Amino acid sequence: QKEVEQNSGPLSVPEGAIASLNCTYSDRGSQSFFWYRQYSGKSPELIMSIYSNGDKEDGRFTAQLNKASQYVSLLIRDSQPSDSATYLCAVAPLGGYQKVTFGTGTKLQVIP
Amino acid sequence: GAVVSQHPSWVICKSGTSVKIECRSLDFQATTMFWYRQFPKQSLMLMATSNEGSKATYEQGVEKDKFLINHASLTLSTLTVTSAHPEDSSFYICSARDPGLVQETQYFGPGTRLLVL
């Protein structure tokens, strides 16, 4: 079983719609959760981090965390063609110099 | 967010040569940096964790003698691909952990694309 699982996609949504990206993880000790965006040929860019259960909103992005279900999601409202990229989910244990485990990413395509 | 740079951004070399890639944290001191490799259409693969002042920790299957890591200062880590071969052609990305943040957060450099002929 993969430690961090994501649907590889592609997930296609029309411009202006809500894109919903999902991620599950296997390590119940995970405490830190991140969403990175990676454009083709570029390195990942941190867009959201979340550490406690519930929702965290930042502009058009909302991260949702449910530790009981070991599930974290990212919602993108009013999707734009510029949001088309691969979104990587990442998890880490609490504190220290623990390594971050990345999922394989979900490719999002926003159709104009 | 924190800024991490990499140099060079592109390198083309002949098979058998060695290539050094630098990773710098520009506005914070990073006691820990990470080196990743990404092949086309695949996810990030952690190669090693670079610790300032000590030996790097390599992931299983990564040859430490081939991928030499030196974390000489709190702002610089280098990855040297020794005796590079075409199969080493890949996108190498470093990241640095900002110790000023309570939680684990990594910031990525822009990556170095290596092509071995």
Side-chain angles (χ1 to χ4, degrees):
Chain A
Q1 180 187 7
K2 293 181 181 177
E3 296 181 48
V4 179
E5 291 206 44
Q6 295 180 256
N7 188 318
S8 62
L11 172 66
S12 295
V13 300
E15 183 175 355
I18 296 175
S20 178
L21 304 164
N22 305 315
C23 172
T24 58
Y25 59 95
S26 60
D27 183 1
R28 286 195 171 273
S30 300
Q31 296 290 336
S32 304
F33 306 87
F34 309 92
W35 283 99
Y36 288 85
R37 176 176 61 197
Q38 186 175 24
Y39 291 112
S40 181
K42 303 293 184 182
S43 68
E45 171 193 11
L46 179 68
I47 55 173
M48 288 285 286
S49 58
I50 186 167
Y51 310 109
S52 55
N53 282 327
D55 296 358
K56 179 181 178 182
E57 186 175 319
D58 184 1
R60 294 187 296 113
F61 299 98
T62 299
Q64 299 175 318
L65 174 62
N66 184 327
K67 291 184 181 179
S69 300
Q70 295 175 247
Y71 176 90
V72 58
S73 66
L74 179 69
L75 300 178
I76 306 175
R77 290 182 299 282
D78 188 23
S79 296
Q80 301 297 309
S82 59
D83 295 326
S84 298
T86 297
Y87 289 80
L88 302 173
C89 173
V91 304
L94 176 65
Y97 297 100
Q98 305 296 325
K99 67 179 182 181
V100 176
T101 302
F102 287 86
T104 55
T106 298
K107 186 173 183 178
L108 173 66
Q109 294 178 339
V110 181
I111 311 300
Chain B
V3 180
V4 177
S5 70
Q6 270 185 255
H7 178 80
S9 55
W10 254 106
V11 59
I12 301 174
C13 69
K14 293 181 179 180
S15 184
T17 60
S18 294
V19 175
K20 179 185 283 189
I21 303 170
E22 292 185 350
C23 177
R24 293 182 185 273
S25 56
L26 298 185
D27 53 359
F28 66 99
Q29 294 184 326
T31 52
T32 304
M33 292 183 173
F34 303 88
W35 287 97
Y36 295 84
R37 181 167 55 183
Q38 187 175 38
F39 292 105
K41 300 188 185 301
Q42 295 186 25
S43 189
L44 297 170
M45 186 194 81
L46 178 66
M47 299 176 66
T49 301
S50 172
N51 302 299
E52 189 268 336
S54 65
K55 292 183 178 180
T57 302
Y58 290 82
E59 294 301 301
Q60 191 173 11
V62 178
E63 301 175 57
K64 60 180 67 177
D65 294 331
K66 181 169 182 63
F67 299 98
L68 301 179
I69 291 173
N70 183 9
H71 197 144
S73 74
L74 288 172
T75 59
L76 174 64
S77 175
T78 60
L79 168 68
T80 301
V81 183
T82 62
S83 186
H85 291 284
E87 58 266 28
D88 298 322
S89 299
S90 187
F91 190 37
Y92 291 86
I93 311 171
C94 74
S95 72
R97 178 181 176 275
D98 186 346
L101 298 176
V102 175
Q103 302 287 356
E104 180 78 24
T105 301
Q106 290 187 31
Y107 295 94
F108 285 88
T112 297
R113 202 163 295 279
L114 170 64
L115 177 62
V116 184
L117 302 176

